[in-house]
Amino acid sequence: MCGIIGVSNLPDAARAAYLGLYALQHRGQESAGIVTLDDDGRPHLARGMGLVGDIFREGDFKALDGSVALGHTRYSTAGSSVLANAQPCLAEIRGGPLALAHNGNLTNANAIKKELVDEGAIFQTSSDSEVIVHLIARSTQVNPEQRIREALERVEGAFSLVITVGRTLYCVVDPHGFRPLVLGRIGQAIVAASETCALDLVGATVVRELGPGEFVEVVDGMVRDLEPLRKAPAAHRCIFELVYFARPDSTVFGESVDRVRRELGRQLAKEHPAPDADVVFSVPDSANMMALGYADESGLKLEHGLIRNHYVGRTFINPTQALRVAKVKIKFNPVREVLAGRSVVVVDDSLVRGTTSKGLVQMIRAAGARRVHLRLASPPITGPCHYGIDTPNREELIAANHSLEEVRDYLGVDSLGYLSLDGMVRAGGSRNSFCHACFSGSYPITPRDELVQLRHEKPLAGSPA
Ligand code: AMP
């Protein structure tokens, strides 16, 4: 998963991109980068591994000259976690510099890449996004809009993109609309970003979100709607953006993430009450709003039963199971006064491998809780995501391989309740049609590439990394 930002017609655009990337840090912590275009159309690039706050130095901003900028934070789902794969991509193509930042995951990148490599193309990275760069560069169309369109007609899967060709900014969302992209304005400038929380931070007001297939061109802060990409049979907004990924202070797909999460919690309380419970608390921070909703609906007192250390990276980043377990303890600690002698409801947003929850339950019991009722504000995850969320393969997904009873036993809880698919979709709001493939197995696009190859760090065919 990734966070992207595009800026047009703002003096010192790099600083706005930098601020925006701070607000999008939760969407990717492996690497980040900024490209600017100066008044003469010359590109400048700074990228690095790690967190936004650690990568860029004052000196970088002197070099990142210009009023047009792109920014990217990366969490890899295709291609390995190396600097070569950090974005934005920057290339010199016929007609000038092309820069591109991609959020999503292509499902036929490998097939296209193989074809291009057979024809002699030289790839610099193992990321799927570079395929789009090659396709734009090779398009025989004259105008940049047509070159981008032609390239995007060949790729399948999830893509929200900010692209610059020369100093013109293009923003586009795939026909299913899997990933968000929103346009904002500050005075005469336009800022496009993955989430509205980035617009808030740079002081931009929301103009509108881009719908599935929408394609716009921004020249010197002036937005022009282009003909949309060819239509998909239906929109498939990623429901996991609302459940887990986006920040609760953002509006995504026209929905307040905070509202949806509270509703998920309320719905969960209706479907899975815990009559003997004394208190409810969240696994912070992702389930905070859901626990609020659960408390609201059930009348249970909301507490803070777990404290999270904010200086620990994501549990998922650890390569081995042993390390992952240790990291749960580093990340969370129970508040004994809240737990001792109580029957507790623990609300989490989702259960993936079950490692976090198992460790937490042991901790909560050791802190004196009498009974532990685990409530999950989404249904069992039974399949991987092909469209940009980092879910492990099916073998590691606990719910894909075990019955509810087996999961309950493994986690060591007194009761376990998952929100129903229907309940989740209803909480998501009626304005959208959603992709919920990881929960339902209903995949809107069948990946042409070997998913395993794409998602498990094996380089794409013919790639150097
Ligand atoms: P697990 O221990 O594998 O069941 O992990 C569940 C926890 O991981 C939940 O608390 C979620 O908030 C979090 N989570 C869910 N999906 C992801 C993801 N794609 N990347 C990182 N964390 C996630």
Side-chain angles (χ1 to χ4, degrees):
M1 186 51 74
C2 303
I4 58 173
I5 187 161
V7 182
S8 166
N9 204 37
L10 192 69
D12 237 347
R15 286 189 195 269
Y18 173 66
L19 273 186
L21 291 183
Y22 252 107
L24 299 174
Q25 184 75 83
H26 62 292
R27 299 185 67 88
Q29 301 92 38
E30 286 181 12
S31 63
I34 296 174
V35 165
T36 58
L37 280 306
D38 67 23
D39 292 349
D40 299 322
R42 276 189 310 254
H44 306 277
L45 167 70
R47 296 186 306 189
M49 298 301 290
L51 300 178
V52 174
D54 298 327
I55 293 171
F56 303 99
R57 297 272 161 261
E58 193 51 39
D60 291 321
F61 293 100
K62 292 204 177 76
L64 289 168
D65 180 28
S67 58
V68 175
L70 296 186
H72 189 268
T73 56
R74 176 164 195 260
Y75 186 83
S76 59
T77 47
S80 46
S81 179
V82 292
L83 184 60
N85 285 341
Q87 293 192 25
C89 308
L90 178 62
E92 196 61 40
I93 65 167
R94 177 170 43 81
L98 167 83
L100 175 147
H102 173 205
N103 174 207
N105 201 66
L106 304 181
T107 53
N108 65 342
N110 217 16
I112 297 176
K113 183 165 184 176
K114 187 171 179 321
E115 212 180 287
L116 295 175
V117 168
D118 287 347
E119 288 167 20
I122 298 167
F123 275 76
Q124 305 289 326
T125 77
S126 61
S127 97
D128 57 343
S129 316
E130 195 188 351
V131 167
I132 305 175
V133 174
H134 277 260
L135 291 174
I136 297 171
R138 294 162 71 99
S139 166
T140 53
Q141 298 287 334
V142 179
N143 106 21
E145 171 199 339
Q146 295 306 340
R147 293 173 81 176
I148 295 170
R149 186 182 300 282
E150 193 176 87
L152 296 182
E153 273 166 8
R154 289 211 53 201
V155 297
E156 292 169 4
F159 53 86
S160 283
L161 295 163
V162 285
I163 302 172
T164 51
V165 182
R167 289 174 43 80
T168 304
L169 170 68
Y170 295 88
C171 309
V172 57
V173 173
D174 70 73
H176 292 262
F178 288 103
R179 304 277 151 232
L181 189 59
V182 59
L183 288 184
R185 175 172 287 288
I186 330 174
Q188 304 302 307
I190 286 290
V191 180
S194 295
E195 289 184 37
T196 57
C197 63
L199 300 186
D200 293 339
L201 185 52
V202 302
T205 49
V206 174
V207 176
R208 67 189 168 92
E209 274 190 82
L210 293 190
E214 270 201 78
F215 187 13
V216 301
E217 179 187 79
V218 190
V219 180
D220 295 334
M222 303 285 288
V223 181
R224 185 166 76 94
D225 292 337
L226 303 174
E227 192 191 317
L229 302 185
R230 72 183 136 61
K231 263 196 146 37
H236 287 98
R237 303 301 221 164
C238 168
I239 199 153
F240 209 62
E241 288 274 353
L242 296 170
V243 169
Y244 169 76
F245 217 81
R247 261 174 49 166
D249 51 334
S250 286
T251 300
V252 164
F253 309 142
E255 298 290 343
S256 149
V257 178
D258 171 72
R259 185 204 67 74
V260 171
R261 290 195 185 156
R262 284 175 196 243
E263 192 49 37
L264 287 164
R266 270 189 219 109
Q267 191 62 35
L268 184 60
K270 282 186 202 152
E271 292 185 17
H272 298 285
D276 78 335
D278 304 313
V279 290
V280 55
F281 58 85
S282 67
V283 177
D285 295 321
S286 50
N288 287 352
M289 310 304 168
M290 289 131 172
L292 272 173
Y294 196 100
D296 222 28
E297 180 65 35
S298 63
L300 283 173
K301 187 163 184 236
L302 181 73
E303 288 278 7
H304 293 289
L306 291 168
I307 299 302
R308 176 175 169 183
N309 181 334
H310 284 99
Y311 306 97
V312 187
R314 289 197 168 180
T315 41
F316 272 58
I317 290 167
N318 287 308
T320 68
Q321 188 74 2
L323 270 177
R324 231 177 259 125
V325 173
K327 201 125 183 210
V328 173
K329 282 194 171 173
I330 300 172
K331 197 164 165 184
F332 299 102
N333 203 34
V335 183
R336 284 174 183 76
E337 288 63 27
V338 172
L339 306 178
R342 293 222 166 110
S343 169
V344 302
V345 175
V346 185
V347 178
D348 204 353
D349 61 283
S350 56
L351 193 66
V352 184
R353 295 179 176 89
T355 337
T356 313
S357 302
K358 190 178 173 66
L360 286 176
V361 170
Q362 284 167 357
M363 234 182 244
I364 291 165
R365 284 205 192 279
R370 196 163 39 81
R371 288 171 69 76
V372 182
H373 304 284
L374 182 63
R375 297 292 179 266
L376 299 156
S378 58
I381 299 181
T382 50
C385 176
H386 302 177
Y387 318 114
I389 301 276
D390 178 41
T391 35
N393 60 16
R394 201 167 263 115
E395 290 74 67
E396 291 178 58
L397 290 169
I398 189 163
N401 303 294
H402 298 280
S403 68
L404 189 75
E405 269 311 290
E406 286 169 344
V407 176
R408 193 184 65 77
D409 281 351
Y410 170 78
L411 299 176
V413 289
D414 294 282
S415 77
L416 173 66
Y418 284 98
L419 184 61
S420 66
L421 184 64
D422 191 48
M424 176 181 70
V425 169
R426 241 179 307 125
S430 54
R431 78 184 82 212
N432 289 300
S433 59
F434 290 109
C435 173
H436 37 65
C438 55
F439 302 109
S440 62
S442 170
Y443 288 92
I445 303 173
T446 309
R448 196 111 44 99
D449 291 345
E450 257 301 297
L451 177 73
V452 182
Q453 216 173 347
L454 264 174
R455 294 216 10 266
H456 294 276
E457 306 277 290
K458 282 192 199 151
L460 294 175
S463 66

mmCIF file with all atom_site columns, all heavy atoms in Angstrom, residues 117-138:
data_model
loop_
_atom_site.group_PDB
_atom_site.id
_atom_site.type_symbol
_atom_site.label_atom_id
_atom_site.label_alt_id
_atom_site.label_comp_id
_atom_site.label_asym_id
_atom_site.label_entity_id
_atom_site.label_seq_id
_atom_site.pdbx_PDB_ins_code
_atom_site.Cartn_x
_atom_site.Cartn_y
_atom_site.Cartn_z
_atom_site.occupancy
_atom_site.B_iso_or_equiv
_atom_site.pdbx_formal_charge
_atom_site.auth_seq_id
_atom_site.auth_comp_id
_atom_site.auth_asym_id
_atom_site.auth_atom_id
_atom_site.pdbx_PDB_model_num
ATOM 1   N N   . VAL A 1 117 ? 10.359 -6.942  -21.818 1.00 0.00 ? 117 VAL A N   1
ATOM 2   C CA  . VAL A 1 117 ? 11.753 -7.379  -21.664 1.00 0.00 ? 117 VAL A CA  1
ATOM 3   C C   . VAL A 1 117 ? 12.166 -8.192  -22.891 1.00 0.00 ? 117 VAL A C   1
ATOM 4   O O   . VAL A 1 117 ? 13.263 -8.023  -23.428 1.00 0.00 ? 117 VAL A O   1
ATOM 5   C CB  . VAL A 1 117 ? 11.936 -8.175  -20.346 1.00 0.00 ? 117 VAL A CB  1
ATOM 6   C CG1 . VAL A 1 117 ? 13.281 -8.889  -20.306 1.00 0.00 ? 117 VAL A CG1 1
ATOM 7   C CG2 . VAL A 1 117 ? 11.813 -7.248  -19.149 1.00 0.00 ? 117 VAL A CG2 1
ATOM 8   N N   . ASP A 1 118 ? 11.251 -9.033  -23.387 1.00 0.00 ? 118 ASP A N   1
ATOM 9   C CA  . ASP A 1 118 ? 11.547 -9.806  -24.600 1.00 0.00 ? 118 ASP A CA  1
ATOM 10  C C   . ASP A 1 118 ? 11.831 -8.897  -25.784 1.00 0.00 ? 118 ASP A C   1
ATOM 11  O O   . ASP A 1 118 ? 12.592 -9.233  -26.686 1.00 0.00 ? 118 ASP A O   1
ATOM 12  C CB  . ASP A 1 118 ? 10.377 -10.749 -24.933 1.00 0.00 ? 118 ASP A CB  1
ATOM 13  C CG  . ASP A 1 118 ? 10.315 -11.932 -23.976 1.00 0.00 ? 118 ASP A CG  1
ATOM 14  O OD1 . ASP A 1 118 ? 11.305 -12.131 -23.232 1.00 0.00 ? 118 ASP A OD1 1
ATOM 15  O OD2 . ASP A 1 118 ? 9.281  -12.628 -23.945 1.00 0.00 ? 118 ASP A OD2 1
ATOM 16  N N   . GLU A 1 119 ? 11.194 -7.725  -25.769 1.00 0.00 ? 119 GLU A N   1
ATOM 17  C CA  . GLU A 1 119 ? 11.418 -6.766  -26.871 1.00 0.00 ? 119 GLU A CA  1
ATOM 18  C C   . GLU A 1 119 ? 12.639 -5.886  -26.635 1.00 0.00 ? 119 GLU A C   1
ATOM 19  O O   . GLU A 1 119 ? 12.905 -4.979  -27.400 1.00 0.00 ? 119 GLU A O   1
ATOM 20  C CB  . GLU A 1 119 ? 10.176 -5.875  -27.024 1.00 0.00 ? 119 GLU A CB  1
ATOM 21  C CG  . GLU A 1 119 ? 8.995  -6.617  -27.625 1.00 0.00 ? 119 GLU A CG  1
ATOM 22  C CD  . GLU A 1 119 ? 7.695  -5.832  -27.469 1.00 0.00 ? 119 GLU A CD  1
ATOM 23  O OE1 . GLU A 1 119 ? 7.774  -4.593  -27.259 1.00 0.00 ? 119 GLU A OE1 1
ATOM 24  O OE2 . GLU A 1 119 ? 6.629  -6.456  -27.538 1.00 0.00 ? 119 GLU A OE2 1
ATOM 25  N N   . GLY A 1 120 ? 13.311 -6.108  -25.494 1.00 0.00 ? 120 GLY A N   1
ATOM 26  C CA  . GLY A 1 120 ? 14.559 -5.364  -25.265 1.00 0.00 ? 120 GLY A CA  1
ATOM 27  C C   . GLY A 1 120 ? 14.467 -4.279  -24.215 1.00 0.00 ? 120 GLY A C   1
ATOM 28  O O   . GLY A 1 120 ? 15.447 -3.564  -23.983 1.00 0.00 ? 120 GLY A O   1
ATOM 29  N N   . ALA A 1 121 ? 13.320 -4.116  -23.581 1.00 0.00 ? 121 ALA A N   1
ATOM 30  C CA  . ALA A 1 121 ? 13.202 -3.059  -22.565 1.00 0.00 ? 121 ALA A CA  1
ATOM 31  C C   . ALA A 1 121 ? 14.124 -3.371  -21.387 1.00 0.00 ? 121 ALA A C   1
ATOM 32  O O   . ALA A 1 121 ? 14.306 -4.532  -21.023 1.00 0.00 ? 121 ALA A O   1
ATOM 33  C CB  . ALA A 1 121 ? 11.766 -2.964  -22.075 1.00 0.00 ? 121 ALA A CB  1
ATOM 34  N N   . ILE A 1 122 ? 14.694 -2.329  -20.807 1.00 0.00 ? 122 ILE A N   1
ATOM 35  C CA  . ILE A 1 122 ? 15.575 -2.497  -19.639 1.00 0.00 ? 122 ILE A CA  1
ATOM 36  C C   . ILE A 1 122 ? 14.854 -1.921  -18.434 1.00 0.00 ? 122 ILE A C   1
ATOM 37  O O   . ILE A 1 122 ? 14.563 -0.727  -18.388 1.00 0.00 ? 122 ILE A O   1
ATOM 38  C CB  . ILE A 1 122 ? 16.913 -1.762  -19.862 1.00 0.00 ? 122 ILE A CB  1
ATOM 39  C CG1 . ILE A 1 122 ? 17.635 -2.364  -21.059 1.00 0.00 ? 122 ILE A CG1 1
ATOM 40  C CG2 . ILE A 1 122 ? 17.776 -1.830  -18.616 1.00 0.00 ? 122 ILE A CG2 1
ATOM 41  C CD1 . ILE A 1 122 ? 18.792 -1.527  -21.537 1.00 0.00 ? 122 ILE A CD1 1
ATOM 42  N N   . PHE A 1 123 ? 14.549 -2.780  -17.478 1.00 0.00 ? 123 PHE A N   1
ATOM 43  C CA  . PHE A 1 123 ? 13.849 -2.331  -16.265 1.00 0.00 ? 123 PHE A CA  1
ATOM 44  C C   . PHE A 1 123 ? 14.862 -2.006  -15.170 1.00 0.00 ? 123 PHE A C   1
ATOM 45  O O   . PHE A 1 123 ? 15.849 -2.711  -14.996 1.00 0.00 ? 123 PHE A O   1
ATOM 46  C CB  . PHE A 1 123 ? 12.862 -3.410  -15.800 1.00 0.00 ? 123 PHE A CB  1
ATOM 47  C CG  . PHE A 1 123 ? 11.530 -3.327  -16.498 1.00 0.00 ? 123 PHE A CG  1
ATOM 48  C CD1 . PHE A 1 123 ? 11.379 -3.765  -17.802 1.00 0.00 ? 123 PHE A CD1 1
ATOM 49  C CD2 . PHE A 1 123 ? 10.430 -2.789  -15.836 1.00 0.00 ? 123 PHE A CD2 1
ATOM 50  C CE1 . PHE A 1 123 ? 10.154 -3.675  -18.445 1.00 0.00 ? 123 PHE A CE1 1
ATOM 51  C CE2 . PHE A 1 123 ? 9.206  -2.694  -16.475 1.00 0.00 ? 123 PHE A CE2 1
ATOM 52  C CZ  . PHE A 1 123 ? 9.063  -3.136  -17.779 1.00 0.00 ? 123 PHE A CZ  1
ATOM 53  N N   . GLN A 1 124 ? 14.586 -0.936  -14.445 1.00 0.00 ? 124 GLN A N   1
ATOM 54  C CA  . GLN A 1 124 ? 15.485 -0.501  -13.369 1.00 0.00 ? 124 GLN A CA  1
ATOM 55  C C   . GLN A 1 124 ? 15.034 -1.029  -12.013 1.00 0.00 ? 124 GLN A C   1
ATOM 56  O O   . GLN A 1 124 ? 15.778 -0.946  -11.051 1.00 0.00 ? 124 GLN A O   1
ATOM 57  C CB  . GLN A 1 124 ? 15.495 1.035   -13.277 1.00 0.00 ? 124 GLN A CB  1
ATOM 58  C CG  . GLN A 1 124 ? 15.842 1.738   -14.571 1.00 0.00 ? 124 GLN A CG  1
ATOM 59  C CD  . GLN A 1 124 ? 17.307 1.556   -14.924 1.00 0.00 ? 124 GLN A CD  1
ATOM 60  O OE1 . GLN A 1 124 ? 18.147 1.499   -14.043 1.00 0.00 ? 124 GLN A OE1 1
ATOM 61  N NE2 . GLN A 1 124 ? 17.590 1.421   -16.203 1.00 0.00 ? 124 GLN A NE2 1
ATOM 62  N N   . THR A 1 125 ? 13.781 -1.462  -11.909 1.00 0.00 ? 125 THR A N   1
ATOM 63  C CA  . THR A 1 125 ? 13.221 -1.825  -10.609 1.00 0.00 ? 125 THR A CA  1
ATOM 64  C C   . THR A 1 125 ? 12.446 -3.133  -10.723 1.00 0.00 ? 125 THR A C   1
ATOM 65  O O   . THR A 1 125 ? 12.225 -3.637  -11.829 1.00 0.00 ? 125 THR A O   1
ATOM 66  C CB  . THR A 1 125 ? 12.218 -0.755  -10.099 1.00 0.00 ? 125 THR A CB  1
ATOM 67  O OG1 . THR A 1 125 ? 10.986 -0.906  -10.814 1.00 0.00 ? 125 THR A OG1 1
ATOM 68  C CG2 . THR A 1 125 ? 12.738 0.651   -10.298 1.00 0.00 ? 125 THR A CG2 1
ATOM 69  N N   . SER A 1 126 ? 12.026 -3.661  -9.580  1.00 0.00 ? 126 SER A N   1
ATOM 70  C CA  . SER A 1 126 ? 11.164 -4.840  -9.608  1.00 0.00 ? 126 SER A CA  1
ATOM 71  C C   . SER A 1 126 ? 9.728  -4.462  -9.230  1.00 0.00 ? 126 SER A C   1
ATOM 72  O O   . SER A 1 126 ? 8.936  -5.306  -8.866  1.00 0.00 ? 126 SER A O   1
ATOM 73  C CB  . SER A 1 126 ? 11.699 -5.923  -8.666  1.00 0.00 ? 126 SER A CB  1
ATOM 74  O OG  . SER A 1 126 ? 11.726 -5.444  -7.338  1.00 0.00 ? 126 SER A OG  1
ATOM 75  N N   . SER A 1 127 ? 9.400  -3.172  -9.286  1.00 0.00 ? 127 SER A N   1
ATOM 76  C CA  . SER A 1 127 ? 8.041  -2.768  -8.901  1.00 0.00 ? 127 SER A CA  1
ATOM 77  C C   . SER A 1 127 ? 7.113  -2.803  -10.115 1.00 0.00 ? 127 SER A C   1
ATOM 78  O O   . SER A 1 127 ? 7.545  -2.568  -11.249 1.00 0.00 ? 127 SER A O   1
ATOM 79  C CB  . SER A 1 127 ? 8.054  -1.371  -8.267  1.00 0.00 ? 127 SER A CB  1
ATOM 80  O OG  . SER A 1 127 ? 7.718  -0.403  -9.224  1.00 0.00 ? 127 SER A OG  1
ATOM 81  N N   . ASP A 1 128 ? 5.855  -3.098  -9.864  1.00 0.00 ? 128 ASP A N   1
ATOM 82  C CA  . ASP A 1 128 ? 4.879  -3.168  -10.963 1.00 0.00 ? 128 ASP A CA  1
ATOM 83  C C   . ASP A 1 128 ? 4.662  -1.796  -11.608 1.00 0.00 ? 128 ASP A C   1
ATOM 84  O O   . ASP A 1 128 ? 4.345  -1.697  -12.793 1.00 0.00 ? 128 ASP A O   1
ATOM 85  C CB  . ASP A 1 128 ? 3.556  -3.769  -10.470 1.00 0.00 ? 128 ASP A CB  1
ATOM 86  C CG  . ASP A 1 128 ? 2.942  -3.005  -9.311  1.00 0.00 ? 128 ASP A CG  1
ATOM 87  O OD1 . ASP A 1 128 ? 3.663  -2.216  -8.658  1.00 0.00 ? 128 ASP A OD1 1
ATOM 88  O OD2 . ASP A 1 128 ? 1.740  -3.194  -9.048  1.00 0.00 ? 128 ASP A OD2 1
ATOM 89  N N   . SER A 1 129 ? 4.878  -0.729  -10.840 1.00 0.00 ? 129 SER A N   1
ATOM 90  C CA  . SER A 1 129 ? 4.602  0.618   -11.344 1.00 0.00 ? 129 SER A CA  1
ATOM 91  C C   . SER A 1 129 ? 5.478  0.979   -12.548 1.00 0.00 ? 129 SER A C   1
ATOM 92  O O   . SER A 1 129 ? 5.071  1.751   -13.421 1.00 0.00 ? 129 SER A O   1
ATOM 93  C CB  . SER A 1 129 ? 4.835  1.655   -10.237 1.00 0.00 ? 129 SER A CB  1
ATOM 94  O OG  . SER A 1 129 ? 4.281  1.195   -9.026  1.00 0.00 ? 129 SER A OG  1
ATOM 95  N N   . GLU A 1 130 ? 6.676  0.428   -12.589 1.00 0.00 ? 130 GLU A N   1
ATOM 96  C CA  . GLU A 1 130 ? 7.580  0.790   -13.690 1.00 0.00 ? 130 GLU A CA  1
ATOM 97  C C   . GLU A 1 130 ? 7.025  0.334   -15.036 1.00 0.00 ? 130 GLU A C   1
ATOM 98  O O   . GLU A 1 130 ? 7.348  0.912   -16.080 1.00 0.00 ? 130 GLU A O   1
ATOM 99  C CB  . GLU A 1 130 ? 8.980  0.197   -13.452 1.00 0.00 ? 130 GLU A CB  1
ATOM 100 C CG  . GLU A 1 130 ? 10.019 0.857   -14.361 1.00 0.00 ? 130 GLU A CG  1
ATOM 101 C CD  . GLU A 1 130 ? 11.396 0.192   -14.324 1.00 0.00 ? 130 GLU A CD  1
ATOM 102 O OE1 . GLU A 1 130 ? 11.621 -0.684  -13.466 1.00 0.00 ? 130 GLU A OE1 1
ATOM 103 O OE2 . GLU A 1 130 ? 12.230 0.552   -15.170 1.00 0.00 ? 130 GLU A OE2 1
ATOM 104 N N   . VAL A 1 131 ? 6.167  -0.678  -14.998 1.00 0.00 ? 131 VAL A N   1
ATOM 105 C CA  . VAL A 1 131 ? 5.543  -1.146  -16.240 1.00 0.00 ? 131 VAL A CA  1
ATOM 106 C C   . VAL A 1 131 ? 4.747  0.003   -16.887 1.00 0.00 ? 131 VAL A C   1
ATOM 107 O O   . VAL A 1 131 ? 4.780  0.191   -18.104 1.00 0.00 ? 131 VAL A O   1
ATOM 108 C CB  . VAL A 1 131 ? 4.628  -2.361  -15.939 1.00 0.00 ? 131 VAL A CB  1
ATOM 109 C CG1 . VAL A 1 131 ? 3.729  -2.681  -17.107 1.00 0.00 ? 131 VAL A CG1 1
ATOM 110 C CG2 . VAL A 1 131 ? 5.467  -3.568  -15.551 1.00 0.00 ? 131 VAL A CG2 1
ATOM 111 N N   . ILE A 1 132 ? 4.070  0.780   -16.047 1.00 0.00 ? 132 ILE A N   1
ATOM 112 C CA  . ILE A 1 132 ? 3.267  1.898   -16.583 1.00 0.00 ? 132 ILE A CA  1
ATOM 113 C C   . ILE A 1 132 ? 4.193  2.939   -17.222 1.00 0.00 ? 132 ILE A C   1
ATOM 114 O O   . ILE A 1 132 ? 3.903  3.478   -18.291 1.00 0.00 ? 132 ILE A O   1
ATOM 115 C CB  . ILE A 1 132 ? 2.403  2.552   -15.471 1.00 0.00 ? 132 ILE A CB  1
ATOM 116 C CG1 . ILE A 1 132 ? 1.539  1.500   -14.775 1.00 0.00 ? 132 ILE A CG1 1
ATOM 117 C CG2 . ILE A 1 132 ? 1.528  3.665   -16.051 1.00 0.00 ? 132 ILE A CG2 1
ATOM 118 C CD1 . ILE A 1 132 ? 0.737  2.034   -13.577 1.00 0.00 ? 132 ILE A CD1 1
ATOM 119 N N   . VAL A 1 133 ? 5.323  3.199   -16.579 1.00 0.00 ? 133 VAL A N   1
ATOM 120 C CA  . VAL A 1 133 ? 6.295  4.157   -17.125 1.00 0.00 ? 133 VAL A CA  1
ATOM 121 C C   . VAL A 1 133 ? 6.732  3.704   -18.517 1.00 0.00 ? 133 VAL A C   1
ATOM 122 O O   . VAL A 1 133 ? 6.745  4.494   -19.479 1.00 0.00 ? 133 VAL A O   1
ATOM 123 C CB  . VAL A 1 133 ? 7.523  4.291   -16.185 1.00 0.00 ? 133 VAL A CB  1
ATOM 124 C CG1 . VAL A 1 133 ? 8.604  5.154   -16.807 1.00 0.00 ? 133 VAL A CG1 1
ATOM 125 C CG2 . VAL A 1 133 ? 7.100  4.846   -14.823 1.00 0.00 ? 133 VAL A CG2 1
ATOM 126 N N   . HIS A 1 134 ? 7.068  2.425   -18.640 1.00 0.00 ? 134 HIS A N   1
ATOM 127 C CA  . HIS A 1 134 ? 7.508  1.909   -19.946 1.00 0.00 ? 134 HIS A CA  1
ATOM 128 C C   . HIS A 1 134 ? 6.405  2.040   -20.994 1.00 0.00 ? 134 HIS A C   1
ATOM 129 O O   . HIS A 1 134 ? 6.664  2.414   -22.134 1.00 0.00 ? 134 HIS A O   1
ATOM 130 C CB  . HIS A 1 134 ? 7.913  0.432   -19.815 1.00 0.00 ? 134 HIS A CB  1
ATOM 131 C CG  . HIS A 1 134 ? 9.311  0.263   -19.307 1.00 0.00 ? 134 HIS A CG  1
ATOM 132 N ND1 . HIS A 1 134 ? 10.373 -0.014  -20.115 1.00 0.00 ? 134 HIS A ND1 1
ATOM 133 C CD2 . HIS A 1 134 ? 9.812  0.373   -18.057 1.00 0.00 ? 134 HIS A CD2 1
ATOM 134 C CE1 . HIS A 1 134 ? 11.484 -0.088  -19.380 1.00 0.00 ? 134 HIS A CE1 1
ATOM 135 N NE2 . HIS A 1 134 ? 11.151 0.138   -18.123 1.00 0.00 ? 134 HIS A NE2 1
ATOM 136 N N   . LEU A 1 135 ? 5.184  1.708   -20.584 1.00 0.00 ? 135 LEU A N   1
ATOM 137 C CA  . LEU A 1 135 ? 4.087  1.748   -21.558 1.00 0.00 ? 135 LEU A CA  1
ATOM 138 C C   . LEU A 1 135 ? 3.834  3.182   -22.025 1.00 0.00 ? 135 LEU A C   1
ATOM 139 O O   . LEU A 1 135 ? 3.561  3.414   -23.201 1.00 0.00 ? 135 LEU A O   1
ATOM 140 C CB  . LEU A 1 135 ? 2.809  1.142   -20.960 1.00 0.00 ? 135 LEU A CB  1
ATOM 141 C CG  . LEU A 1 135 ? 2.846  -0.375  -20.724 1.00 0.00 ? 135 LEU A CG  1
ATOM 142 C CD1 . LEU A 1 135 ? 1.582  -0.831  -19.997 1.00 0.00 ? 135 LEU A CD1 1
ATOM 143 C CD2 . LEU A 1 135 ? 3.002  -1.141  -22.040 1.00 0.00 ? 135 LEU A CD2 1
ATOM 144 N N   . ILE A 1 136 ? 3.928  4.142   -21.111 1.00 0.00 ? 136 ILE A N   1
ATOM 145 C CA  . ILE A 1 136 ? 3.737  5.549   -21.516 1.00 0.00 ? 136 ILE A CA  1
ATOM 146 C C   . ILE A 1 136 ? 4.872  5.953   -22.450 1.00 0.00 ? 136 ILE A C   1
ATOM 147 O O   . ILE A 1 136 ? 4.656  6.562   -23.511 1.00 0.00 ? 136 ILE A O   1
ATOM 148 C CB  . ILE A 1 136 ? 3.685  6.489   -20.281 1.00 0.00 ? 136 ILE A CB  1
ATOM 149 C CG1 . ILE A 1 136 ? 2.487  6.158   -19.390 1.00 0.00 ? 136 ILE A CG1 1
ATOM 150 C CG2 . ILE A 1 136 ? 3.628  7.959   -20.739 1.00 0.00 ? 136 ILE A CG2 1
ATOM 151 C CD1 . ILE A 1 136 ? 2.465  6.898   -18.035 1.00 0.00 ? 136 ILE A CD1 1
ATOM 152 N N   . ALA A 1 137 ? 6.093  5.583   -22.095 1.00 0.00 ? 137 ALA A N   1
ATOM 153 C CA  . ALA A 1 137 ? 7.260  5.971   -22.901 1.00 0.00 ? 137 ALA A CA  1
ATOM 154 C C   . ALA A 1 137 ? 7.174  5.396   -24.312 1.00 0.00 ? 137 ALA A C   1
ATOM 155 O O   . ALA A 1 137 ? 7.582  6.034   -25.282 1.00 0.00 ? 137 ALA A O   1
ATOM 156 C CB  . ALA A 1 137 ? 8.533  5.486   -22.210 1.00 0.00 ? 137 ALA A CB  1
ATOM 157 N N   . ARG A 1 138 ? 6.631  4.191   -24.423 1.00 0.00 ? 138 ARG A N   1
ATOM 158 C CA  . ARG A 1 138 ? 6.613  3.515   -25.719 1.00 0.00 ? 138 ARG A CA  1
ATOM 159 C C   . ARG A 1 138 ? 5.401  3.863   -26.563 1.00 0.00 ? 138 ARG A C   1
ATOM 160 O O   . ARG A 1 138 ? 5.344  3.485   -27.737 1.00 0.00 ? 138 ARG A O   1
ATOM 161 C CB  . ARG A 1 138 ? 6.658  2.004   -25.510 1.00 0.00 ? 138 ARG A CB  1
ATOM 162 C CG  . ARG A 1 138 ? 7.976  1.542   -24.907 1.00 0.00 ? 138 ARG A CG  1
ATOM 163 C CD  . ARG A 1 138 ? 7.839  0.186   -24.323 1.00 0.00 ? 138 ARG A CD  1
ATOM 164 N NE  . ARG A 1 138 ? 7.707  -0.810  -25.371 1.00 0.00 ? 138 ARG A NE  1
ATOM 165 C CZ  . ARG A 1 138 ? 8.718  -1.561  -25.804 1.00 0.00 ? 138 ARG A CZ  1
ATOM 166 N NH1 . ARG A 1 138 ? 9.904  -1.440  -25.280 1.00 0.00 ? 138 ARG A NH1 1
ATOM 167 N NH2 . ARG A 1 138 ? 8.529  -2.441  -26.760 1.00 0.00 ? 138 ARG A NH2 1
#
